[in-house]
Amino acid sequence: MTEECERRLDLTAITGHEPAEIRDQPSDAAVLAPVVERGGEQYLLFTKRADHLGEHPGQMSFPGGGAEPGDRTILDTALREGFEEIGLLREEVEVIGRLDDIRTVTEYAVSPFVVTVPDRAYEPDHREVAEIALLPVAGLLDPANYESERRDHPHYGEITIHYFRVDGYTVWGATGRILVQLLELTSGFEPADRVDRSSDGAV
């Protein structure tokens, strides 16, 4: 990541992005990457997954989840999950664009949508969400808060794990990968040349 990267996201860079789609996974899912304006600064809204969940308990994530038969589109999946998890209303959401799909270790193809949402209090559904956190974009773009690890994955070979540590929270895993592309497209963020450590552990 360059020291010179902007401390704000240029969201117009998302509108022209043609997302790469993944069609070879058993299940589909979608998430919202919500941008909030507060006091002239940008924040990203994350959820902390409840500790009792079977998949990724306690991890930071964007609001979202698996597709259901009643969802007409994968965007509908993301919007429905946003309402169920944090009470986000569809009419409050402005969709900016879509990032590349990613594969997860739980065999989902996840479609991320970048959106803007109002600066208001949101109510977590504690069956799934332990906490809602607004993390400042300036903090996510601070090189002091970022590190990476290279691992050998049993299926995908060598991969890079990204870690963002801001305000006592750590964003990593699938959410970290989504965040990296969002920051790369909208700022001067450049993580590729920096690997802080290597590990033989599988993800």
Side-chain angles (χ1 to χ4, degrees), residues 11-12 14-15 31-37 75 79 88-98 112-119 122:
L11 297 180
T12 61
I14 300 292
T15 59
V31 299
L32 300 175
V35 181
V36 177
E37 287 276 351
L75 175 58
L79 294 171
L88 178 64
L89 303 177
R90 287 177 178 241
E91 56 266 29
E92 296 179 302
V93 176
E94 180 182 352
V95 179
I96 304 300
R98 178 174 164 181
F113 293 89
V114 180
V115 300
T116 59
V117 301
D119 179 17
Y122 294 93

Side-chain angles (χ1 to χ4, degrees), residues 41-76:
E41 301 291 333
Q42 289 178 323
Y43 294 78
L44 283 170
L45 186 153
F46 296 87
T47 60
K48 185 176 182 180
R49 292 173 60 81
D51 289 333
H52 63 262
L53 294 177
E55 295 178 355
H56 312 297
Q59 288 190 15
M60 301 300 290
S61 64
F62 288 122
E68 295 184 356
D71 298 333
R72 295 174 300 169
T73 67
I74 199 65
L75 175 58
D76 285 334

Side-chain angles (χ1 to χ4, degrees), residues 98-145:
R98 178 174 164 181
L99 302 175
D100 294 349
D101 291 355
I102 66 164
R103 293 179 177 86
T104 70
V105 294
T106 48
E107 298 189 311
Y108 278 89
V110 180
S111 300
F113 293 89
V114 180
V115 300
T116 59
V117 301
D119 179 17
R120 69 168 179 85
Y122 294 93
E123 292 297 327
D125 179 347
H126 290 292
R127 293 172 297 180
E128 299 185 59
V129 177
E131 187 179 350
I132 296 170
L134 286 181
L135 300 186
V137 166
L140 294 166
L141 288 171
D142 186 338
N145 296 332

